[in-house]
Amino acid sequence: MSEPRLTRLPQWQALQRHAYAIGQRHLREWFAADPQRGERFVLEDVGLYLDYSKQRVDADALGLLRELATARGLPQRIEAMFRGERINTTEHRAVLHVALRAPAGEKILVDGHDVVADVHAVLDRMAAFAEQVRSGAWLGHGGKRIRNVVSIGIGGSDLGPVMAYEALRAYSRRDMTFRFVSNVDGTDFAEAVHGLDAAETLFIVCSKTFTTLETLANAHAARAWSVAALGDERAVAKHFVAVSTNAAEVAKFGIDTANMFGFWDWVGGRYSMDSAIGLSTMLAIGPEHFHAMLAGFHAMDEHFRHAPLERNLPALMGLLAVWNNNFLDAASVAVLPYEQYLKRFPAYLQQLTMESNGKRVTRGGAAVDYATGPIYWGEPGTNGQHSFYQLLHQGTRIVPCDFIGFGQSLNPLPVQGGGDQHDLLLANLIAQGEALAFGKTAEEVRAAGTDAALAPHRTFPGNRPSSTILAQRLTPRVLGTLIALYEHSVFVQGVIWDIDSFDQWGVELGKQLAKTTIAELTAKDEPKLAHDSSTNALIRRYRALRDGHT
Ligand code: G6Q
C-alpha cells in the first residue's frame, strides 16, 4: 500500500532541479517571453474558466508535475475512488461522495450493493419532505405552518450547509428563515432561536454519528426550548427531524426514525453537504435547484475521471498546489471570492483542505520529510483588499491566491454615470491579480516622482502567484462544480503526498482531554488536579472566575 518515498522519486528530484533553475524568474519575464501566455495557460471546461498563467510555472514544470502524478498512480487512484475501493485505509472505508451525485440508474457497488439506488431513495424522501414543508402541508404541533428552519450540526455537518445556504440565498425561499447552530457556546443557540416562534420552527439535527457532544447538547437545548414553548412532549414529532447514519441513537434521542434521513459510512463529514446533510439547503432552494447543484458536482466528477491529466481541472489545481507548497515553499493559500454570496466558502474550504491534508505520516505510517497541506484562509473581495492584502503585496511571505469571480451579478446595481457595481467588483479582482504578478519596480516608482526615501515603501516586488477562476453566474449548478473542483484537487494533493485525505485522527486528542476537563470544571468540590502546571492553573482560575471568587 505504501508508496516509494516521495522525495527519492526521480520525478520529484527533477522538479527540485527545475524549481531551482526557474524559481526566481519573474512573471514579468515569463509574460514578456511569451506574449500569448495569458491565453495559453488557461483551461476551460464544465462551465469554469481557469487562468493559471500567473502561476510561476512553465510548460516543463507542468510536464514534470504530470509525470510525478503518473508516478504516484493518480489515474489508478482516481479509478479506485470511483469504483468504491476502501481508499480511506485508516478507517477501512470506501470514499464515495461521487456516488451522492451520480444520476439515477448508474451503478456503484460497495460490497456488491448498489449505493446509487440508496442515494436516490433518500433524495426522493428528502424532496417529498421538502415539498411538504415548503408548501405548508407539513404543520407544526399547534397546526401552524413551518416558517423557520434551524439546522443543528458541527464541522462537516454544518460548514457545508451554512456555506451552501449563503451561496444560494438568491434562490432561496425568502418567506422562510434559515439559521444554523454549531458551537457548544450557548450564545450560538440563543441567537439562532432569538425571535422565532417555536410553533413555526423545525429543527434538523445533523450528525453522522449522533454522538457529537456539541450537536447533542444543542439538540437537547432545542428540544427543551420547543417543549417549553409548545407545552407538550409530543411536539417533538412535528418539530424535529434527524440526518444521521445512526438510527439507534436518533431513536434514543426521541426522534421517530420515520423522520430520519440517512446516509452512509462512505460519506466523510466534510464531503457530505450534497447528502441528506444538505436537507436545509434543499428546504431553502427546493428540490429542483438541489438537483441542479448535484448535476454540477457530477459534471466535475465526470471531467475529473475522464479528462486527460493535461486538460484536467482538479488535477491541474492540485498539482499547482503541490508546486507552490513544496517547490516554492508557500505555506498558505488565500481563497478570495469576489462574490458576496460566497462569503463562507473560505471557511468551508478550510475544513475540506486542512482536515483532509493536514497530516504528517504517509498511508503506511511513515513520517513524511516534505510539507503537506498548506493553510487555507480568505475573505471575500473587495473587503480583504482593505485589510490583509498589504501582506499579500509587500510582505515577506509568498501567499498564492485563488481569485473567484462571475460574469454576471445576481444583484445588478447601476452606478451613476454608467456601468454597474459588478464592473467595479470585477475590475478589482482582475487588478489584484495583475498587481500581485507584475508589481511596480523601484524605477517605476521613482519615475512617477516619488521621493527617494519613500520609494522602497511604494515598491511592489510582484512575482506573487495567483489563479483566477471565472464562471458566468453563481447558480446551484456552478456551485456544485466549484466545490467538486476543490474536493478533487484536495484528493490529487493527498495522492502526491501519499496521505489518507479522508481520516481526521488529529481532532481526537483534544476531544478526549476535554472529557476529563469537563469533570474537573463541574466537580462540586475543588478537584485534585494532575495535569501540567499551566493546565492546572487554568482550571483553577476558570472555576474561580465562574464562581466569582476573584
Ligand atoms: C468531517 C469531520 C467532522 C465531523 C463533525 C461532526 O469530516 O469528521 O467535522 O463532520 O465532527 O460529526 P457528526 O456528523 O458525527 O456529528
Side-chain angles (χ1 to χ4, degrees), residues 292-364:
M293 181 180 81
L294 295 181
F297 271 101
H298 182 65
M300 183 56 79
D301 294 344
E302 287 289 285
H303 167 88
F304 183 49
R305 190 174 189 178
H306 299 297
L309 283 184
E310 58 276 16
R311 296 208 45 79
N312 193 309
L313 284 160
L316 177 63
M317 286 240 321
L319 292 173
L320 287 170
V322 169
W323 171 260
N324 287 334
N325 188 60
N326 297 104
F327 300 101
L328 296 187
D329 288 332
S332 89
V333 176
V335 181
L336 307 165
Y338 278 62
E339 170 55 70
Q340 187 63 20
Y341 283 126
L342 289 182
K343 66 180 180 193
R344 294 297 289 165
F345 195 57
Y348 170 77
L349 282 187
Q350 282 187 326
Q351 184 192 23
L352 181 68
T353 58
M354 297 204 271
E355 209 173 40
S356 296
N357 285 341
K359 311 281 163 71
R360 54 179 289 285
V361 295
T362 64
R363 288 181 302 152

Side-chain angles (χ1 to χ4, degrees), residues 61-352:
L62 292 169
L64 288 169
L65 285 164
R66 285 193 297 269
E67 282 173 30
L68 178 67
T70 309
R72 291 308 249 186
L74 178 63
Q76 295 82 344
R77 295 287 301 281
I78 295 173
E79 269 314 296
M81 173 169 75
F82 277 87
R83 270 200 311 267
E85 284 179 25
R86 295 181 190 277
I87 62 166
N88 176 356
T89 45
T90 70
E91 296 182 312
H92 197 56
R93 285 179 182 162
V95 175
L96 272 178
H97 40 281
V98 293
L100 297 171
R101 49 268 189 152
E106 213 167 84
K107 269 195 184 354
I108 301 178
L109 302 180
V110 174
D111 298 330
H113 179 79
D114 174 25
V115 296
V116 179
D118 294 350
V119 165
H120 282 271
V122 174
L123 281 171
D124 290 348
R125 283 189 57 228
M126 287 166 65
F129 176 70
E131 288 300 4
Q132 275 190 298
V133 173
R134 288 163 60 88
S135 69
W138 179 283
L139 297 177
H141 182 66
K144 285 188 167 179
R145 67 183 288 175
I146 299 297
R147 295 189 188 281
N148 315 312
V149 174
V150 180
S151 181
I152 300 175
I154 195 163
S157 297
D158 171 69
L159 286 159
V162 173
M163 179 275 289
Y165 172 66
E166 292 295 345
L168 300 176
R169 218 176 172 143
Y171 303 85
S172 72
R173 279 284 291 264
R174 300 298 193 146
D175 58 345
M176 290 175 72
T177 298
F178 291 85
R179 294 190 186 163
F180 298 84
V181 184
S182 54
N183 201 336
V184 74
D185 183 338
T187 298
D188 205 15
F189 178 76
E191 289 295 338
V193 296
H194 185 79
L196 299 187
D197 176 356
E200 300 180 337
T201 303
L202 173 78
F203 289 95
I204 309 175
V205 185
C206 294
S207 177
K208 182 173 170 180
T209 55
F210 228 79
T211 56
T212 303
L213 172 102
E214 293 90 335
T215 301
L216 284 186
N218 282 320
H220 281 288
R223 191 169 65 184
W225 179 83
S226 277
V227 170
L230 302 172
D232 193 339
E233 273 289 338
R234 287 172 302 175
V236 172
K238 288 289 173 198
H239 294 272
F240 282 79
V241 298
V243 180
S244 188
T245 57
N246 191 343
E249 286 297 325
V250 169
K252 211 158 110 194
F253 177 84
I255 297 178
D256 186 345
T257 48
N259 295 335
M260 166 178 154
F261 300 87
F263 61 118
W264 308 270
D265 75 351
W266 42 262
V267 185
R270 54 193 174 275
Y271 297 86
S272 67
M273 56 150 296
D274 45 343
S275 71
I277 289 291
L279 184 59
S280 56
T281 315
M282 194 191 268
L283 282 161
I285 65 174
E288 210 173 302
H289 283 317
F290 195 86
H291 277 281
M293 181 180 81
L294 295 181
F297 271 101
H298 182 65
M300 183 56 79
D301 294 344
E302 287 289 285
H303 167 88
F304 183 49
R305 190 174 189 178
H306 299 297
L309 283 184
E310 58 276 16
R311 296 208 45 79
N312 193 309
L313 284 160
L316 177 63
M317 286 240 321
L319 292 173
L320 287 170
V322 169
W323 171 260
N324 287 334
N325 188 60
N326 297 104
F327 300 101
L328 296 187
D329 288 332
S332 89
V333 176
V335 181
L336 307 165
Y338 278 62
E339 170 55 70
Q340 187 63 20
Y341 283 126
L342 289 182
K343 66 180 180 193
R344 294 297 289 165
F345 195 57
Y348 170 77
L349 282 187
Q350 282 187 326
Q351 184 192 23
L352 181 68

